[in-house]
Amino acid sequence: MSWRIANECAERRFGSAARKQIIMFLADKASDDGSGIWCSKGTIQRHTELSESTVKRTIIDFLREGILIETGRRHCKNGYTVIYRIVLERVAALEPTAEPEIETGVTVNPVQPEPGTGSTVNGVRGSRWTPNHPKTIHKPPTRRREAAEEVEDFESEKILTAYPEDRIRDRRTSLRLIAAAVKAGVEPDDLKQAVKAYAKESEGYTRSKVCFSDNWFKMRRWEKGLAQIQADREKAREAEAKGRASLAEWIHERHPLCRHITNRQIEDLIASKLVTPEQVRAAGLQV
């Protein structure tokens, strides 16, 4: 549970009691950056006691509005459960629930608008905020964290540069969505390859067919490219395994073609336990 996400959502208006109830339940399951929410719509429905149609419709609305994004899937006994992330930037842009402060002029013995500073020990005052105050900062920024954020921003920039320049729109949103995908576990190099594949595939498209970067990343269009990358890797692994099996068969049969097997391939076959050093020597090869 993240108090930070829960407090952030509690201080914003979401348009209805049902929407607020669902986002607060999701916030209860989130990490401090809003990620790692994996619970089925049935689970949400049981805990909030809302109707199933209301839960489904609200989740779809949150996804369309950018308040939630899908970051992956987790296998379960009934198939899979979608993993969500609450987008803090979108939540922060919503109307706050707090009433605006009204200046009423000077008063006698005015009420202090903020929490006290606590008792003093040896002349040193306590914390300005109470531990459960939403503005309490438990983990102040550090140089290491700032450096990590700079690396993330640099990676996101590199990925975005692979997108066709004339279709890049709302750079800030695009970079945020890229960073969210990487944080959810997508390899930066794979995501960049997926972007390049789309750029090559859509080269020469008319303007009516192109997809601008913010929408492309928001709709997770890169998943198609990732699926193709995984399929290509699987084919390569199968071809490699087939090649190893053929080499091992040559050694087992002491085939004349064994002389073409390199030392590196022999070491790989022995490490894979497809052949033994004795079988290699019996085939006339050196270990």
Side-chain angles (χ1 to χ4, degrees), residues 131-280:
N132 63 342
H133 193 281
K135 292 186 180 180
T136 300
I137 300 176
H138 296 285
K139 294 181 180 180
T142 63
R143 289 183 180 179
R144 182 178 295 180
R145 190 181 304 172
E146 289 175 354
E149 289 175 355
E150 286 180 5
V151 171
E152 290 179 3
D153 292 342
F154 179 68
E155 287 288 352
S156 299
E157 285 282 0
K158 283 201 306 184
I159 293 169
L160 187 58
T161 56
Y163 206 84
E165 183 64 32
D166 60 332
R167 299 179 221 160
I168 294 178
R169 185 180 68 182
D170 195 349
R171 178 176 291 272
R172 183 178 178 184
T173 297
S174 299
L175 291 172
R176 175 176 56 76
L177 293 170
I178 292 171
V182 172
K183 211 171 255 187
V186 179
E187 288 294 329
D189 289 341
D190 290 351
L191 186 52
K192 188 173 182 178
Q193 289 302 318
V195 174
K196 285 182 176 180
Y198 170 72
K200 185 176 180 180
E201 172 193 335
S202 61
E203 191 175 1
Y205 276 15
T206 60
R207 190 170 180 81
S208 61
K209 291 185 178 180
V210 301
C211 186
F212 289 100
S213 61
D214 54 340
N215 283 336
W216 195 82
F217 287 106
K218 186 181 294 184
M219 294 186 292
R220 300 169 65 86
R221 297 275 292 275
W222 42 265
E223 287 183 338
K224 177 183 176 183
L226 290 186
Q228 186 60 51
I229 291 171
Q230 293 298 329
D232 293 342
R233 285 177 180 165
E234 187 61 34
K235 286 181 181 178
R237 282 194 290 266
E238 290 176 359
E240 186 178 355
K242 188 175 180 181
R244 281 186 186 143
S246 296
L247 295 178
E249 188 176 351
W250 289 356
I251 292 176
H252 291 154
E253 297 176 356
R254 304 177 188 179
H255 198 282
L257 290 176
C258 283
R259 65 179 182 275
H260 297 295
I261 301 177
T262 65
N263 290 335
R264 185 173 181 178
Q265 288 173 327
I266 292 173
E267 292 174 359
D268 183 45
L269 291 172
I270 293 175
S272 302
K273 297 183 178 180
L274 293 175
V275 297
T276 64
E278 292 75 17
Q279 290 172 325
V280 173

Side-chain angles (χ1 to χ4, degrees), residues 89-130:
E89 293 84 351
R90 288 289 300 119
V91 173
L94 297 174
E95 180 185 354
T97 56
E99 295 182 1
E101 294 184 0
I102 302 174
E103 297 293 338
T104 57
V106 179
T107 60
V108 179
N109 297 327
V111 177
Q112 188 173 340
E114 296 178 351
T117 55
S119 61
T120 60
V121 179
N122 296 330
V124 179
R125 289 193 175 275
S127 172
R128 180 184 180 190
W129 304 111
T130 56

